[in-house]
Amino acid sequence: QPSRDLNKAVVSKLQSRLKAALYGTDALAFFSRYDRDGLGTVDAPGFKSLIRRDLKLPASFLSDNEILKLMRAIQLPEDEGPVSTTGGGGGGGLGVHYPLGHE
């Protein structure tokens, strides 16, 4: 199946599924389930698991390659944003940062 750009329909479904998954739960607790090293980062495998398990989006809707595209799309210059190129879990690669709630 040819890769497609993340279009508005895909983004809309991701947003609605994330909103539903977070309903009645604390966002910090939700994202921390996928933070393997406790440093406030969800790495690529963790982000994929979040998409597949909690958002219940199969590869037929959003491929693994598209998940990586999504991670790159939310990355800000010089790793200052929600996505890091150092990643989490000690394995390098991409990672999505979330606020730890403490400094």
Side-chain angles (χ1 to χ4, degrees), residues 31-97:
F31 286 106
S32 69
R33 289 185 285 184
Y34 297 96
D35 180 3
R36 297 190 291 180
D37 59 10
L39 296 175
T41 303
V42 178
D43 61 11
F47 193 65
K48 177 183 165 189
S49 180
L50 181 154
I51 299 245
R52 299 281 184 250
R53 185 179 315 155
D54 280 320
L55 304 190
K56 297 175 178 62
L57 293 173
S60 60
F61 180 78
L62 189 69
S63 71
D64 290 352
N65 189 45
E66 289 170 321
I67 291 173
L68 291 176
K69 283 183 186 179
L70 174 63
M71 292 182 75
R72 287 184 182 106
I74 59 176
Q75 183 174 356
L76 296 178
E78 299 181 21
D79 300 331
E80 294 175 1
V83 177
S84 158
T85 54
T86 57
L94 289 172
V96 177
H97 291 276

Side-chain angles (χ1 to χ4, degrees), residues 4-12:
R4 57 187 151 80
D5 290 334
L6 294 174
N7 61 40
K8 287 183 181 183
V10 171
V11 172
S12 178

